[in-house]
Amino acid sequence: MLNFDEERFLRIQSGAAGLAQRFDDVIGACIAAGAENVFFLGTGGAAILMQPAYQLLQRKSRFPSFIDLTAELVITGSANLTKNSIVVMPSLSGTTKESVALLGKIKEIGATVLTLVGHEETPLGKGGDHVFVNFAEDDTSCESFYLQSLFVALSIMKHRGEITNYDELIGELQSLPKLLLEVKRAYEGKAEGFAKTLAGSDYHIVTGAGNVWPEAFYYGMCILEEMQWIRTRPVHASDFFHGTLELVEKNVSVILFKGEDECRPVADRVENFAPNYTDKLTVLDTAGFELPGISAEVRGLISPILLATVLERISAHLEVMRNHPLTTRRYYKKVAY
């Protein structure tokens, strides 16, 4: 595979998978101690990666869950953020400015903070009540963060008696690292073609529904915009029909991500509409990826993980094709802002 270290990928994703028991121990203790809600509070891309777990709790659990913008929450506070809250704070670097500022406020409140970081010797690496360290870099962080946040959500549901097959679900999730590597191998031959589509337009409408919408948002904003300087319009597949559809015409690129949860029909609507008005609809559908031994239930949960793992292959080809390394920045962490 192009510019890819298989052993490194397996080490990082296996590290994330190996955290399941510790997450369960911590969450179980929090629930037993009277925790009343959970907040997922990341910044930028890390925040977006928490959305599928938050959505799972919103739709399948009666345990109150919240997600907010750290830059705003540090100013406004929240009536629901109390000493009885569980707070999940992801930051790959462990130094994200907005998250570090909010951590100080949360510590004053007395909530229980779980920090998910790639580096321990950092403000967030040292500042959490429970610190989960799994080294990763930009090209491997998505799967790691998606998995860790999913462990949090499933553990909450387990300890509240809202699911009865927790052990089976976790067992399947922990088998993912090697399966994801095989998905990458199987997709490698198609990755260059998808990259050509991305390189072939200077503007893309990127859309999806259900738990893959966050990955559409993330890939448009954090990869195509930040790392490739390609203009995008990330829009939820439902909102697509309340404004953005008017921008669709011949030669306008529409990129549709499709997952396998119950919201798939919302994405189908875009897929049925767009070809009538543009010749540049491109669909990336997780249903085409083979995952031996993974149940339909778990496939529905991990659709964003599957997309992230093949999009990394697409990005590897895209940066070579455009002679634009994914590490190149003009402003991000380069100038004051």
Side-chain angles (χ1 to χ4, degrees), residues 26-38 63-64 82-87 112 156 160:
V26 170
I27 294 298
C30 289
I31 298 294
E36 296 176 348
N37 57 42
V38 61
F63 191 70
T82 73
K83 62 182 179 64
N84 295 319
S85 298
I86 302 169
V87 177
T112 300
I156 288 172
R160 288 176 49 81

Side-chain angles (χ1 to χ4, degrees), residues 187 194 212 255-259 282-287 289 306-308 310-311 314:
Y187 192 78
F194 201 110
V212 303
I255 308 294
L256 173 63
F257 293 166
K258 295 185 70 174
T282 308
V283 180
L284 187 56
D285 186 350
T286 65
F289 305 147
L306 292 174
L307 285 175
V310 298
L311 284 165
I314 292 166

Side-chain angles (χ1 to χ4, degrees), residues 79-125:
N80 293 295
L81 182 55
T82 73
K83 62 182 179 64
N84 295 319
S85 298
I86 302 169
V87 177
V88 180
M89 300 191 75
S91 170
L92 186 60
S93 69
T95 62
T96 310
K97 182 179 178 180
E98 297 92 334
S99 295
V100 171
L102 183 59
L103 177 63
K105 297 281 187 180
I106 294 172
K107 299 291 281 187
E108 292 175 7
I109 292 169
T112 300
V113 181
L114 284 61
T115 56
L116 320 182
V117 298
H119 306 276
E120 187 170 10
E121 295 301 312
T122 59
L124 289 171

Side-chain angles (χ1 to χ4, degrees), residues 31-223:
I31 298 294
E36 296 176 348
N37 57 42
V38 61
F39 277 76
F40 293 93
L41 298 175
T43 300
I48 296 170
L49 299 175
M50 298 293 105
Q51 289 184 16
Y54 159 76
Q55 184 187 89
L56 177 64
L57 288 171
Q58 284 277 302
R59 295 177 175 175
K60 303 295 185 182
S61 173
R62 296 185 66 84
F63 191 70
S65 57
F66 300 90
I67 201 163
D68 211 329
L69 299 169
T70 55
E72 292 191 356
L73 194 59
V74 74
I75 298 170
T76 65
S78 169
N80 293 295
L81 182 55
T82 73
K83 62 182 179 64
N84 295 319
S85 298
I86 302 169
V87 177
V88 180
M89 300 191 75
S91 170
L92 186 60
S93 69
T95 62
T96 310
K97 182 179 178 180
E98 297 92 334
S99 295
V100 171
L102 183 59
L103 177 63
K105 297 281 187 180
I106 294 172
K107 299 291 281 187
E108 292 175 7
I109 292 169
T112 300
V113 181
L114 284 61
T115 56
L116 320 182
V117 298
H119 306 276
E120 187 170 10
E121 295 301 312
T122 59
L124 289 171
K126 293 180 177 180
D129 297 300
H130 304 279
V131 180
F132 294 80
V133 182
N134 187 48
F135 172 80
E137 293 179 298
D138 287 338
D139 61 334
T140 51
S141 64
C142 286
E143 297 97 329
S144 175
F145 277 148
Y146 276 138
L147 265 178
Q148 292 180 63
S149 60
L150 193 53
F151 291 151
V152 170
L154 291 173
S155 181
I156 288 172
M157 295 170 72
K158 167 195 169 182
H159 288 285
R160 288 176 49 81
E162 293 172 328
I163 54 175
T164 58
N165 60 341
Y166 173 84
D167 290 338
E168 291 83 355
L169 295 175
I170 294 301
E172 289 188 40
L173 291 172
Q174 289 186 314
S175 72
L176 277 182
K178 290 182 179 179
L179 292 175
L180 292 175
L181 182 57
E182 293 307 314
V183 169
K184 284 180 181 289
R185 283 201 185 106
Y187 192 78
E188 182 70 12
K190 300 178 181 178
E192 184 177 3
F194 201 110
K196 286 180 179 177
T197 296
L198 295 176
S201 297
D202 59 5
Y203 167 74
H204 301 276
I205 297 171
V206 186
T207 188
N211 64 8
V212 303
W213 154 241
E215 183 60 23
F217 184 20
Y218 177 92
Y219 194 73
M221 184 178 79
C222 296
I223 309 300

